[in-house]
């Protein structure tokens, strides 16, 4: 699972903190992204919300398109949208390295998976808190477990997500990544790793801190110590 720049290969199993752009300062996105990249980040998590599948609207293709030339980070784009099949192409063209879509909007997930693969990028599938582990599709590069309900930042980590992570981890190959998103901070990151997560999305726990690089490194160290 490589980035278009060839800089990162996420098929290699190791712990990665994925700072979430949604918590960055939208008045200086390129600067904030550059800081965490210089600090050692490999992955940037991009939450796209359509105001329909989730009640909020975040950002779309133009933001990713403008950020792409400024960064070699792996762009992990989480589509919280009703029609991923329709919009996968524009998000791939804008520079996403991976698109994850929600199983809850996909009566025929393989059609979406095959379409995203045809765009020559990586594909992942996302499960909401109420969706069982058995709903995952096996032919993906990454499974994203939501440990909060999507659409709002700052929610508390849902503890039952740990059981789902444990179950899904047993179903994945070594080259498939298991990501968790929601409520990841210094108090929850170790438990998520022990449950099987290897890619940990952190928003306010990184960009919301006085020193985002220091915060990211501390999360990385806590996660690696728990593995």
């Amino acid at each position: 699972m490589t980035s278009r720049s060839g800089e990162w290969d996420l098929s290699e199993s190791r712990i990665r903190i994925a700072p979430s752009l949604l918590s960055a300062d939208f008045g200086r996105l390129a600067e904030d992204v550059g800081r965490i990249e210089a600090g050692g980040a490999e992955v940037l998590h991009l939450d796209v919300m359509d105001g329909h599948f989730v009640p909020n609207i975040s950002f779309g293709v133009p933001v990713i398109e403008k950020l792409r030339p400024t960064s070699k980070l792996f762009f992990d784009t989480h589509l919280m949208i009703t029609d991923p099949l329709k919009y996968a192409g524009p998000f791939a063209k804008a520079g996403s390295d991976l698109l994850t879509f929600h199983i809850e909007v996909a009566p025929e997930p393989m059609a979406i998976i095959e379409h995203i693969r045809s765009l020559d990028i990586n594909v992942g599938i996302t499960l909401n808190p109420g969706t069982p582990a058995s709903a995952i599709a096996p032919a993906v590069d990454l499974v994203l477990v939501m440990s909060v309900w999507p659409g709002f930042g700052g929610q508390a980590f849902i503890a039952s997500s740990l059981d789902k992570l444990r179950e899904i981890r047993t179903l994945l190959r070594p080259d498939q990544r298991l990501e968790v998103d929601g409520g990841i901070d210094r108090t929850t990151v170790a438990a998520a790793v022990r449950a099987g997560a290897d890619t940990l999305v952190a928003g306010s726990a990184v960009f919301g801190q006085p020193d985002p690089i220091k915060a990211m490194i501390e999360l990385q160290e806590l996660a690696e110590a728990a593995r």
Side-chain angles (χ1 to χ4, degrees), residues 105-119:
V105 300
E108 297 182 11
M110 282 308 302
I112 302 174
I113 291 169
E114 290 170 0
H115 176 60
I116 293 174
R117 288 213 184 280
S118 75
L119 302 170

Side-chain angles (χ1 to χ4, degrees), residues 55-94:
N56 280 341
I57 296 174
S58 57
F59 53 83
V61 167
V63 169
I64 297 173
E65 191 174 49
K66 293 297 184 183
L67 272 179
R68 181 73 280 178
T70 73
S71 174
K72 292 183 178 180
L73 290 174
F74 187 97
F75 277 18
D76 165 24
T77 302
H78 175 194
L79 298 178
M80 288 180 267
I81 65 177
T82 301
D83 194 349
L85 192 62
K86 179 178 180 180
Y87 292 104
F91 280 103
K93 185 178 180 181

Side-chain angles (χ1 to χ4, degrees), residues 27-77:
R28 52 178 193 179
L29 285 182
E31 181 182 340
D32 276 6
V33 170
R35 288 175 67 193
I36 57 120
E37 184 169 4
E42 294 182 44
V43 181
L44 181 68
H45 189 78
L46 301 120
D47 285 311
V48 175
M49 305 180 191
D50 65 357
H52 187 252
F53 177 65
V54 292
N56 280 341
I57 296 174
S58 57
F59 53 83
V61 167
V63 169
I64 297 173
E65 191 174 49
K66 293 297 184 183
L67 272 179
R68 181 73 280 178
T70 73
S71 174
K72 292 183 178 180
L73 290 174
F74 187 97
F75 277 18
D76 165 24
T77 302

Side-chain angles (χ1 to χ4, degrees), residues 203-219:
S204 57
V206 173
F207 285 121
Q209 302 307 304
D211 187 338
I213 295 175
K214 180 181 177 183
M216 180 180 67
I217 292 171
E218 288 178 349
L219 284 175

Side-chain angles (χ1 to χ4, degrees), residues 3-225:
S3 65
R4 293 185 178 190
S5 68
E7 291 288 316
W8 307 117
D9 181 3
L10 268 65
S11 61
E12 181 183 344
S13 178
R14 66 173 185 270
I15 297 296
R16 295 175 177 87
I17 303 299
S20 175
L21 188 72
L22 200 59
S23 294
D25 183 342
F26 272 62
R28 52 178 193 179
L29 285 182
E31 181 182 340
D32 276 6
V33 170
R35 288 175 67 193
I36 57 120
E37 184 169 4
E42 294 182 44
V43 181
L44 181 68
H45 189 78
L46 301 120
D47 285 311
V48 175
M49 305 180 191
D50 65 357
H52 187 252
F53 177 65
V54 292
N56 280 341
I57 296 174
S58 57
F59 53 83
V61 167
V63 169
I64 297 173
E65 191 174 49
K66 293 297 184 183
L67 272 179
R68 181 73 280 178
T70 73
S71 174
K72 292 183 178 180
L73 290 174
F74 187 97
F75 277 18
D76 165 24
T77 302
H78 175 194
L79 298 178
M80 288 180 267
I81 65 177
T82 301
D83 194 349
L85 192 62
K86 179 178 180 180
Y87 292 104
F91 280 103
K93 185 178 180 181
S96 298
D97 293 301
L98 176 142
L99 295 178
T100 59
F101 66 93
H102 275 261
I103 191 67
E104 295 85 6
V105 300
E108 297 182 11
M110 282 308 302
I112 302 174
I113 291 169
E114 290 170 0
H115 176 60
I116 293 174
R117 288 213 184 280
S118 75
L119 302 170
D120 198 29
I121 62 171
N122 303 284
V123 60
I125 200 161
T126 308
L127 279 67
N128 274 343
T131 303
S134 58
I136 70 168
V140 293
D141 301 298
L142 176 147
V143 174
L144 170 56
V145 171
M146 293 301 300
S147 46
V148 298
W149 286 97
F152 299 96
Q155 298 177 66
F157 184 87
I158 297 173
S160 60
S161 304
L162 298 173
D163 290 332
K164 187 184 294 185
L165 287 168
R166 292 186 191 99
E167 183 177 353
I168 293 174
R169 180 76 272 170
T170 66
L171 303 174
L172 300 182
R173 303 185 310 269
D175 64 312
Q176 292 174 300
R177 303 279 60 80
L178 180 53
E179 186 173 46
V180 62
D181 181 4
I184 294 296
D185 58 23
R186 291 176 57 87
T187 68
T188 57
V189 67
V193 171
R194 286 194 292 266
D198 52 46
T199 308
L200 303 114
V201 178
S204 57
V206 173
F207 285 121
Q209 302 307 304
D211 187 338
I213 295 175
K214 180 181 177 183
M216 180 180 67
I217 292 171
E218 288 178 349
L219 284 175
Q220 182 80 27
E221 290 172 346
L222 288 168
E224 289 177 352

